[in-house]
Amino acid sequence: MKRLDCIIRINKLEEVKAALEEAGIFGMSTETVRGHGRQLGRTELYRGSTYSVNLLPKARIEIVLKDDQVERAVEIICDAARTGEIGDGKIFISNVIDAVRIRTGERGDAAL
Ligand SMILES: Nc1ncnc2c1ncn2[C@@H]1O[C@H](COP(=O)(O)OP(=O)(O)OP(=O)(O)O)[C@@H](O)[C@H]1O
Ligand SMILES: [Mg+2]
């Protein structure tokens, strides 16, 4: 299993979520974070104006997937989240050693 930590534009969250659901990927957690990439948030516009501080609001989506779903999910997320402008975000991929569905006790892939 792998975990995708996706940092995307807030106004792309609904589109990304809908595209993942359409592909049968349902389990996810989202939150709002503040961050910056290599431009340190300086040159990026947010809602039409330069943001007063350089930690810009972004949406973070965390998704744990079976290994064989990862490449497809990455492609779906990139397609839905890309504008081509700086600040489109990133996907960080890491290994997950196990998962548990609390209600049933299922483990691993079966718990997703
Ligand atoms: N190395 C990193 N580690 C953790 N979070 C990061 C990292 N790089 C970017 N982020 C997060 O992703 C958000 C978007 O980053 P961003 O897309 O601006 O990256 P970038 O490297 O500057 O690429 P670009 O040149 O396309 O803007 C940041 O606001 C931050 O929340
Ligand atoms: Mg950037």
Side-chain angles (χ1 to χ4, degrees):
M1 288 172 291
K2 301 256 190 297
R3 182 176 59 240
L4 272 48
D5 272 308
C6 316
I7 318 272
I8 62 167
R9 296 179 192 279
I10 284 176
N11 63 10
K12 285 290 191 178
L13 178 59
E14 283 309 314
E15 202 175 324
V16 169
K17 196 172 144 301
L20 287 167
E21 284 168 6
E22 199 169 312
I25 296 166
F26 302 120
M28 66 184 72
S29 306
T30 71
E31 63 180 348
T32 305
V33 296
R34 297 165 68 90
H36 59 55
R38 59 187 175 175
Q39 293 86 12
L40 302 176
R42 279 190 208 113
T43 51
E44 212 179 306
L45 297 181
Y46 179 68
R47 293 195 172 158
S49 57
T50 308
Y51 212 63
S52 57
V53 290
N54 59 19
L55 288 166
L56 300 169
K58 296 282 175 182
R60 176 171 170 270
I61 312 174
E62 179 182 327
I63 314 166
V64 178
L65 292 167
K66 295 178 193 170
D67 287 354
D68 65 7
Q69 295 178 297
V70 169
E71 285 314 311
R72 190 154 145 265
V74 165
E75 200 177 298
I76 288 166
I77 294 161
C78 289
D79 285 351
R82 186 184 297 112
T83 69
E85 303 296 318
I86 58 171
D88 272 354
K90 285 192 187 157
I91 304 173
F92 299 105
I93 302 169
S94 42
N95 285 315
V96 171
I97 57 173
D98 205 355
V100 182
R101 174 171 287 112
I102 292 174
R103 177 173 60 85
T104 57
E106 290 161 284
R107 302 293 292 253
D109 281 6
L112 301 181

